[in-house]
Amino acid sequence: MASPRLEIPNPEVAMTLEELARIQKSIASNITFSLTLACPLRCSHCIVDASPELGRTTMPIEVARYYSSQMDDLAKYGIRNISFTGGEPFLAGKQMTVLASAAQSAGIACGVVTSAHWARDLETARQVVNEYSEIQSWDISVDAFHEDFVSLEIVKNAYEAAIELKRNVTIRFSYQEPLSLRDLKVLEFISIFEEARFSCQRVRPVGRGELVQIGMPQKYNPWIKPCLTQGMVVRYDGSIAPCCLNLVEDRDHPFQLGQATARPLKEIHEEYMVMPLLQLIRALGFSEPMRWLREAGLDKLLPNPLPDEACEICALMMRRPEIASFLTDMVETPEMRIRIAILSAQIFGEYRLLRTTVERFGSCADCIEEFQIAKQLLDDLSCRSN
């Protein structure tokens, strides 16, 4: 019997409100470690320009041990998941083991994103999955670009080994728009992976992906949808990225948090969670920032028409110093900051920004009502805690 054809989800109908809320809230409990930009593959769509020559970017083992020593504190603080990415994280296997072992001991779940290049046969795949027993969630990337370096049979070995050993498996599929014949071939192949979850993502014009021919989307996918970052990324060099997508290797944006080797991860994450611009786009997307830009005449600095992807419009805004500075100034006023803080509390159940804003400003003559709402929300939270 022929396998059912796997369909790329239509963004207009594919996500329920519950799923959206779960993804939006995950930022509060996730941290990703980008262990290296080294990779045995050299895919033409790679957003971080990973390649075999980049071993020098691998996180030093003593730095991994430094982070691992903080896992108990992170668990008490509220971190529930960490994930490993790259490059190819299995090229930093010692570092990954150090971090994953400490995380597991602290009760933090671990996941990894991999090309599965190591699964050259089923027995080897079993050995690798067994060796990294602390990792329960395995995201296996597969697409027409990977197929130039990793055969579909190798991907199947990795999938079968992970399922056999009771791991959670997600197949990550990147595709062009419109779908190429090679995309359709990969889709047909992975449709047999019935026990895996699937994550489909259009090729992004970032890194080497800028050179890939990307057509206009055929599905509803508005840029005004919210930012779905799943948490901050600790890079191999100790710097911090605000997400694992378009800004993951970008160093020129307003979400700066210094070096993770200079202060505790918990402290950095707390600061990450009270960035008002990040909280705004998490809650509402880019419709409000775009309104501000139009009113200020700064929308002319952006292309017309705008991209349809939230990640792409984010990168366009944050990489333009004049726009980034303008938006950062807008959200740091007491009036705007308290409104964003109330949104964060009411939508995500997160009170850090609310608390820090009330502590910083006390009140504001132009938004007395909003500060009264904020204080009532904090009083209600205190009553529930007691």
mmCIF file of all heavy atoms in Angstrom, residues 279 283 334-351 353-355 357-358 367-378:
data_model
loop_
_atom_site.group_PDB
_atom_site.id
_atom_site.type_symbol
_atom_site.label_atom_id
_atom_site.label_comp_id
_atom_site.label_asym_id
_atom_site.label_seq_id
_atom_site.Cartn_x
_atom_site.Cartn_y
_atom_site.Cartn_z
ATOM 1 N N GLN A 279 9.359 41.559 24.086
ATOM 2 C CA GLN A 279 8.068 41.159 24.638
ATOM 3 C C GLN A 279 6.911 41.648 23.754
ATOM 4 O O GLN A 279 5.907 40.949 23.593
ATOM 5 C CB GLN A 279 7.907 41.709 26.059
ATOM 6 C CG GLN A 279 8.883 41.141 27.063
ATOM 7 C CD GLN A 279 8.532 39.712 27.475
ATOM 8 O OE1 GLN A 279 7.757 39.022 26.819
ATOM 9 N NE2 GLN A 279 9.109 39.263 28.566
ATOM 10 N N ALA A 283 4.175 39.214 21.707
ATOM 11 C CA ALA A 283 2.741 39.281 21.978
ATOM 12 C C ALA A 283 1.923 39.659 20.747
ATOM 13 O O ALA A 283 0.885 39.056 20.474
ATOM 14 C CB ALA A 283 2.472 40.286 23.097
ATOM 15 N N PRO A 334 8.067 55.275 29.837
ATOM 16 C CA PRO A 334 7.208 54.663 30.876
ATOM 17 C C PRO A 334 5.847 54.244 30.342
ATOM 18 O O PRO A 334 5.333 53.178 30.691
ATOM 19 C CB PRO A 334 7.076 55.780 31.913
ATOM 20 C CG PRO A 334 8.254 56.654 31.701
ATOM 21 C CD PRO A 334 8.560 56.599 30.235
ATOM 22 N N GLU A 335 5.256 55.073 29.462
ATOM 23 C CA GLU A 335 3.920 54.775 28.944
ATOM 24 C C GLU A 335 3.903 53.480 28.144
ATOM 25 O O GLU A 335 3.018 52.628 28.330
ATOM 26 C CB GLU A 335 3.429 55.924 28.042
ATOM 27 C CG GLU A 335 3.374 57.275 28.716
ATOM 28 C CD GLU A 335 4.629 58.100 28.448
ATOM 29 O OE1 GLU A 335 5.742 57.534 28.618
ATOM 30 O OE2 GLU A 335 4.489 59.272 28.076
ATOM 31 N N MET A 336 4.883 53.325 27.261
ATOM 32 C CA MET A 336 4.882 52.141 26.407
ATOM 33 C C MET A 336 5.356 50.914 27.180
ATOM 34 O O MET A 336 4.822 49.816 27.024
ATOM 35 C CB MET A 336 5.766 52.374 25.183
ATOM 36 C CG MET A 336 5.519 51.366 24.072
ATOM 37 S SD MET A 336 3.777 51.329 23.553
ATOM 38 C CE MET A 336 3.607 53.012 22.932
ATOM 39 N N ARG A 337 6.340 51.101 28.042
ATOM 40 C CA ARG A 337 6.882 49.976 28.786
ATOM 41 C C ARG A 337 5.816 49.343 29.689
ATOM 42 O O ARG A 337 5.718 48.115 29.774
ATOM 43 C CB ARG A 337 8.084 50.442 29.612
ATOM 44 C CG ARG A 337 8.888 49.305 30.229
ATOM 45 C CD ARG A 337 10.078 49.867 30.995
ATOM 46 N NE ARG A 337 10.724 48.822 31.766
ATOM 47 C CZ ARG A 337 11.840 48.191 31.401
ATOM 48 N NH1 ARG A 337 12.438 48.515 30.280
ATOM 49 N NH2 ARG A 337 12.358 47.259 32.185
ATOM 50 N N ILE A 338 5.015 50.161 30.368
ATOM 51 C CA ILE A 338 4.011 49.595 31.274
ATOM 52 C C ILE A 338 2.907 48.885 30.488
ATOM 53 O O ILE A 338 2.383 47.859 30.915
ATOM 54 C CB ILE A 338 3.420 50.695 32.205
ATOM 55 C CG1 ILE A 338 2.676 50.040 33.361
ATOM 56 C CG2 ILE A 338 2.504 51.643 31.445
ATOM 57 C CD1 ILE A 338 3.537 49.222 34.286
ATOM 58 N N ARG A 339 2.573 49.398 29.308
ATOM 59 C CA ARG A 339 1.545 48.729 28.498
ATOM 60 C C ARG A 339 2.037 47.371 27.999
ATOM 61 O O ARG A 339 1.283 46.390 27.991
ATOM 62 C CB ARG A 339 1.147 49.630 27.323
ATOM 63 C CG ARG A 339 0.352 50.847 27.763
ATOM 64 C CD ARG A 339 0.248 51.906 26.689
ATOM 65 N NE ARG A 339 -0.394 53.119 27.189
ATOM 66 C CZ ARG A 339 -0.270 54.310 26.639
ATOM 67 N NH1 ARG A 339 0.476 54.472 25.551
ATOM 68 N NH2 ARG A 339 -0.884 55.358 27.162
ATOM 69 N N ILE A 340 3.291 47.326 27.594
ATOM 70 C CA ILE A 340 3.859 46.050 27.148
ATOM 71 C C ILE A 340 3.949 45.079 28.325
ATOM 72 O O ILE A 340 3.677 43.883 28.180
ATOM 73 C CB ILE A 340 5.240 46.271 26.509
ATOM 74 C CG1 ILE A 340 5.112 47.124 25.250
ATOM 75 C CG2 ILE A 340 5.899 44.932 26.175
ATOM 76 C CD1 ILE A 340 6.452 47.604 24.696
ATOM 77 N N ALA A 341 4.307 45.603 29.488
ATOM 78 C CA ALA A 341 4.409 44.755 30.678
ATOM 79 C C ALA A 341 3.058 44.160 31.050
ATOM 80 O O ALA A 341 2.973 42.982 31.445
ATOM 81 C CB ALA A 341 4.969 45.568 31.840
ATOM 82 N N ILE A 342 2.001 44.925 30.927
ATOM 83 C CA ILE A 342 0.653 44.400 31.213
ATOM 84 C C ILE A 342 0.284 43.321 30.206
ATOM 85 O O ILE A 342 -0.277 42.280 30.570
ATOM 86 C CB ILE A 342 -0.378 45.558 31.206
ATOM 87 C CG1 ILE A 342 -0.138 46.478 32.402
ATOM 88 C CG2 ILE A 342 -1.800 45.002 31.237
ATOM 89 C CD1 ILE A 342 -0.949 47.767 32.361
ATOM 90 N N LEU A 343 0.598 43.574 28.925
ATOM 91 C CA LEU A 343 0.374 42.551 27.901
ATOM 92 C C LEU A 343 1.094 41.251 28.255
ATOM 93 O O LEU A 343 0.534 40.153 28.188
ATOM 94 C CB LEU A 343 0.884 43.040 26.546
ATOM 95 C CG LEU A 343 -0.059 43.809 25.631
ATOM 96 C CD1 LEU A 343 0.704 44.236 24.387
ATOM 97 C CD2 LEU A 343 -1.255 42.966 25.255
ATOM 98 N N SER A 344 2.345 41.377 28.641
ATOM 99 C CA SER A 344 3.153 40.204 28.967
ATOM 100 C C SER A 344 2.547 39.422 30.115
ATOM 101 O O SER A 344 2.497 38.183 30.098
ATOM 102 C CB SER A 344 4.578 40.651 29.315
ATOM 103 O OG SER A 344 5.375 39.542 29.659
ATOM 104 N N ALA A 345 2.064 40.138 31.123
ATOM 105 C CA ALA A 345 1.453 39.466 32.278
ATOM 106 C C ALA A 345 0.145 38.791 31.907
ATOM 107 O O ALA A 345 -0.123 37.649 32.312
ATOM 108 C CB ALA A 345 1.235 40.479 33.396
ATOM 109 N N GLN A 346 -0.671 39.482 31.118
ATOM 110 C CA GLN A 346 -1.996 38.950 30.819
ATOM 111 C C GLN A 346 -1.976 37.866 29.746
ATOM 112 O O GLN A 346 -2.780 36.932 29.785
ATOM 113 C CB GLN A 346 -2.918 40.099 30.405
ATOM 114 C CG GLN A 346 -3.199 41.073 31.549
ATOM 115 C CD GLN A 346 -4.164 42.170 31.165
ATOM 116 O OE1 GLN A 346 -4.186 42.641 30.031
ATOM 117 N NE2 GLN A 346 -4.966 42.615 32.116
ATOM 118 N N ILE A 347 -1.070 37.965 28.789
ATOM 119 C CA ILE A 347 -1.023 36.979 27.704
ATOM 120 C C ILE A 347 -0.177 35.769 28.091
ATOM 121 O O ILE A 347 -0.570 34.627 27.880
ATOM 122 C CB ILE A 347 -0.470 37.615 26.410
ATOM 123 C CG1 ILE A 347 -1.456 38.663 25.884
ATOM 124 C CG2 ILE A 347 -0.232 36.539 25.336
ATOM 125 C CD1 ILE A 347 -0.966 39.391 24.646
ATOM 126 N N PHE A 348 0.996 36.024 28.685
ATOM 127 C CA PHE A 348 1.931 34.936 28.954
ATOM 128 C C PHE A 348 1.971 34.494 30.408
ATOM 129 O O PHE A 348 2.573 33.473 30.727
ATOM 130 C CB PHE A 348 3.357 35.352 28.541
ATOM 131 C CG PHE A 348 3.473 35.827 27.128
ATOM 132 C CD1 PHE A 348 4.025 37.060 26.836
ATOM 133 C CD2 PHE A 348 3.028 35.046 26.069
ATOM 134 C CE1 PHE A 348 4.144 37.509 25.536
ATOM 135 C CE2 PHE A 348 3.133 35.485 24.761
ATOM 136 C CZ PHE A 348 3.689 36.725 24.499
ATOM 137 N N GLY A 349 1.346 35.286 31.296
ATOM 138 C CA GLY A 349 1.454 34.974 32.713
ATOM 139 C C GLY A 349 2.852 35.234 33.241
ATOM 140 O O GLY A 349 3.289 34.611 34.211
ATOM 141 N N GLU A 350 3.572 36.177 32.617
ATOM 142 C CA GLU A 350 4.941 36.524 33.021
ATOM 143 C C GLU A 350 4.922 37.912 33.659
ATOM 144 O O GLU A 350 4.399 38.857 33.076
ATOM 145 C CB GLU A 350 5.875 36.513 31.811
ATOM 146 C CG GLU A 350 6.003 35.133 31.162
ATOM 147 C CD GLU A 350 6.690 35.193 29.807
ATOM 148 O OE1 GLU A 350 7.151 36.295 29.429
ATOM 149 O OE2 GLU A 350 6.740 34.163 29.121
ATOM 150 N N TYR A 351 5.528 38.030 34.835
ATOM 151 C CA TYR A 351 5.416 39.268 35.612
ATOM 152 C C TYR A 351 6.749 39.982 35.808
ATOM 153 O O TYR A 351 6.803 41.004 36.481
ATOM 154 C CB TYR A 351 4.794 38.953 36.985
ATOM 155 C CG TYR A 351 3.344 38.537 36.889
ATOM 156 C CD1 TYR A 351 2.988 37.233 36.558
ATOM 157 C CD2 TYR A 351 2.327 39.462 37.098
ATOM 158 C CE1 TYR A 351 1.664 36.853 36.452
ATOM 159 C CE2 TYR A 351 0.993 39.096 36.996
ATOM 160 C CZ TYR A 351 0.670 37.783 36.659
ATOM 161 O OH TYR A 351 -0.654 37.417 36.549
ATOM 162 N N LEU A 353 8.707 41.717 33.686
ATOM 163 C CA LEU A 353 8.736 43.060 33.108
ATOM 164 C C LEU A 353 7.803 43.995 33.876
ATOM 165 O O LEU A 353 8.128 45.170 34.092
ATOM 166 C CB LEU A 353 8.341 43.001 31.632
ATOM 167 C CG LEU A 353 8.348 44.341 30.882
ATOM 168 C CD1 LEU A 353 9.730 44.986 30.929
ATOM 169 C CD2 LEU A 353 7.918 44.139 29.422
ATOM 170 N N LEU A 354 6.672 43.504 34.312
ATOM 171 C CA LEU A 354 5.718 44.311 35.081
ATOM 172 C C LEU A 354 6.373 44.770 36.387
ATOM 173 O O LEU A 354 6.323 45.956 36.739
ATOM 174 C CB LEU A 354 4.470 43.483 35.367
ATOM 175 C CG LEU A 354 3.226 44.246 35.816
ATOM 176 C CD1 LEU A 354 2.667 45.068 34.668
ATOM 177 C CD2 LEU A 354 2.170 43.284 36.343
ATOM 178 N N ARG A 355 6.996 43.840 37.072
ATOM 179 C CA ARG A 355 7.606 44.154 38.363
ATOM 180 C C ARG A 355 8.754 45.156 38.206
ATOM 181 O O ARG A 355 8.838 46.142 38.945
ATOM 182 C CB ARG A 355 8.105 42.870 39.016
ATOM 183 C CG ARG A 355 8.584 43.044 40.454
ATOM 184 C CD ARG A 355 8.973 41.709 41.065
ATOM 185 N NE ARG A 355 7.805 40.864 41.281
ATOM 186 C CZ ARG A 355 7.538 39.754 40.591
ATOM 187 N NH1 ARG A 355 8.351 39.360 39.627
ATOM 188 N NH2 ARG A 355 6.462 39.047 40.852
ATOM 189 N N THR A 357 9.261 47.279 35.820
ATOM 190 C CA THR A 357 8.785 48.586 35.342
ATOM 191 C C THR A 357 8.185 49.396 36.484
ATOM 192 O O THR A 357 8.451 50.609 36.611
ATOM 193 C CB THR A 357 7.752 48.398 34.218
ATOM 194 O OG1 THR A 357 8.345 47.654 33.146
ATOM 195 C CG2 THR A 357 7.270 49.740 33.692
ATOM 196 N N VAL A 358 7.386 48.746 37.340
ATOM 197 C CA VAL A 358 6.813 49.441 38.502
ATOM 198 C C VAL A 358 7.916 49.878 39.458
ATOM 199 O O VAL A 358 7.909 50.993 39.985
ATOM 200 C CB VAL A 358 5.781 48.540 39.208
ATOM 201 C CG1 VAL A 358 5.351 49.161 40.543
ATOM 202 C CG2 VAL A 358 4.557 48.328 38.312
ATOM 203 N N CYS A 367 0.169 58.047 32.362
ATOM 204 C CA CYS A 367 -0.452 56.715 32.284
ATOM 205 C C CYS A 367 -0.727 56.177 33.684
ATOM 206 O O CYS A 367 -0.345 55.054 34.022
ATOM 207 C CB CYS A 367 0.432 55.758 31.485
ATOM 208 S SG CYS A 367 2.172 55.778 31.975
ATOM 209 N N ILE A 368 -1.394 57.009 34.496
ATOM 210 C CA ILE A 368 -1.706 56.616 35.879
ATOM 211 C C ILE A 368 -2.570 55.370 35.907
ATOM 212 O O ILE A 368 -2.365 54.459 36.722
ATOM 213 C CB ILE A 368 -2.411 57.785 36.607
ATOM 214 C CG1 ILE A 368 -1.446 58.954 36.761
ATOM 215 C CG2 ILE A 368 -2.952 57.333 37.962
ATOM 216 C CD1 ILE A 368 -2.071 60.206 37.340
ATOM 217 N N GLU A 369 -3.546 55.298 35.016
ATOM 218 C CA GLU A 369 -4.466 54.153 35.012
ATOM 219 C C GLU A 369 -3.716 52.848 34.742
ATOM 220 O O GLU A 369 -3.979 51.830 35.384
ATOM 221 C CB GLU A 369 -5.546 54.354 33.954
ATOM 222 C CG GLU A 369 -6.586 53.252 33.943
ATOM 223 C CD GLU A 369 -7.689 53.506 32.929
ATOM 224 O OE1 GLU A 369 -7.774 54.634 32.406
ATOM 225 O OE2 GLU A 369 -8.452 52.563 32.654
ATOM 226 N N GLU A 370 -2.764 52.876 33.790
ATOM 227 C CA GLU A 370 -2.013 51.658 33.481
ATOM 228 C C GLU A 370 -1.167 51.204 34.668
ATOM 229 O O GLU A 370 -1.090 50.009 34.962
ATOM 230 C CB GLU A 370 -1.102 51.899 32.266
ATOM 231 C CG GLU A 370 -1.830 51.948 30.938
ATOM 232 C CD GLU A 370 -2.337 53.341 30.596
ATOM 233 O OE1 GLU A 370 -2.371 54.206 31.518
ATOM 234 O OE2 GLU A 370 -2.698 53.582 29.430
ATOM 235 N N PHE A 371 -0.565 52.168 35.390
ATOM 236 C CA PHE A 371 0.236 51.778 36.553
ATOM 237 C C PHE A 371 -0.651 51.247 37.678
ATOM 238 O O PHE A 371 -0.237 50.357 38.433
ATOM 239 C CB PHE A 371 1.089 52.957 37.031
ATOM 240 C CG PHE A 371 2.426 53.025 36.345
ATOM 241 C CD1 PHE A 371 2.588 53.737 35.169
ATOM 242 C CD2 PHE A 371 3.520 52.351 36.866
ATOM 243 C CE1 PHE A 371 3.821 53.797 34.521
ATOM 244 C CE2 PHE A 371 4.761 52.399 36.217
ATOM 245 C CZ PHE A 371 4.908 53.114 35.036
ATOM 246 N N GLN A 372 -1.858 51.750 37.788
ATOM 247 C CA GLN A 372 -2.790 51.200 38.779
ATOM 248 C C GLN A 372 -3.154 49.762 38.429
ATOM 249 O O GLN A 372 -3.223 48.889 39.306
ATOM 250 C CB GLN A 372 -4.046 52.074 38.846
ATOM 251 C CG GLN A 372 -3.813 53.428 39.500
ATOM 252 C CD GLN A 372 -5.031 54.323 39.437
ATOM 253 O OE1 GLN A 372 -5.937 54.144 38.595
ATOM 254 N NE2 GLN A 372 -5.068 55.325 40.318
ATOM 255 N N ILE A 373 -3.386 49.492 37.136
ATOM 256 C CA ILE A 373 -3.666 48.121 36.692
ATOM 257 C C ILE A 373 -2.477 47.214 37.003
ATOM 258 O O ILE A 373 -2.632 46.097 37.492
ATOM 259 C CB ILE A 373 -3.980 48.097 35.184
ATOM 260 C CG1 ILE A 373 -5.296 48.816 34.898
ATOM 261 C CG2 ILE A 373 -4.032 46.652 34.666
ATOM 262 C CD1 ILE A 373 -5.574 49.029 33.428
ATOM 263 N N ALA A 374 -1.273 47.730 36.720
ATOM 264 C CA ALA A 374 -0.062 46.942 36.958
ATOM 265 C C ALA A 374 0.076 46.577 38.429
ATOM 266 O O ALA A 374 0.379 45.420 38.776
ATOM 267 C CB ALA A 374 1.156 47.720 36.489
ATOM 268 N N LYS A 375 -0.126 47.538 39.303
ATOM 269 C CA LYS A 375 0.011 47.280 40.743
ATOM 270 C C LYS A 375 -1.054 46.309 41.225
ATOM 271 O O LYS A 375 -0.797 45.459 42.092
ATOM 272 C CB LYS A 375 -0.048 48.602 41.510
ATOM 273 C CG LYS A 375 1.198 49.463 41.275
ATOM 274 C CD LYS A 375 1.061 50.857 41.858
ATOM 275 C CE LYS A 375 2.304 51.692 41.547
ATOM 276 N NZ LYS A 375 2.194 53.096 42.000
ATOM 277 N N GLN A 376 -2.251 46.397 40.651
ATOM 278 C CA GLN A 376 -3.304 45.446 41.036
ATOM 279 C C GLN A 376 -2.953 44.036 40.587
ATOM 280 O O GLN A 376 -3.167 43.059 41.323
ATOM 281 C CB GLN A 376 -4.641 45.870 40.416
ATOM 282 C CG GLN A 376 -5.830 44.998 40.845
ATOM 283 C CD GLN A 376 -6.055 45.038 42.338
ATOM 284 O OE1 GLN A 376 -6.229 46.119 42.908
ATOM 285 N NE2 GLN A 376 -6.056 43.876 42.992
ATOM 286 N N LEU A 377 -2.385 43.905 39.385
ATOM 287 C CA LEU A 377 -1.957 42.590 38.903
ATOM 288 C C LEU A 377 -0.880 42.000 39.806
ATOM 289 O O LEU A 377 -0.894 40.802 40.116
ATOM 290 C CB LEU A 377 -1.432 42.704 37.470
ATOM 291 C CG LEU A 377 -2.469 42.910 36.370
ATOM 292 C CD1 LEU A 377 -1.786 43.267 35.046
ATOM 293 C CD2 LEU A 377 -3.327 41.668 36.190
ATOM 294 N N LEU A 378 0.046 42.831 40.258
ATOM 295 C CA LEU A 378 1.098 42.352 41.148
ATOM 296 C C LEU A 378 0.545 41.991 42.524
ATOM 297 O O LEU A 378 0.970 41.008 43.140
ATOM 298 C CB LEU A 378 2.202 43.415 41.291
ATOM 299 C CG LEU A 378 3.049 43.644 40.029
ATOM 300 C CD1 LEU A 378 3.975 44.843 40.222
ATOM 301 C CD2 LEU A 378 3.856 42.403 39.681
#
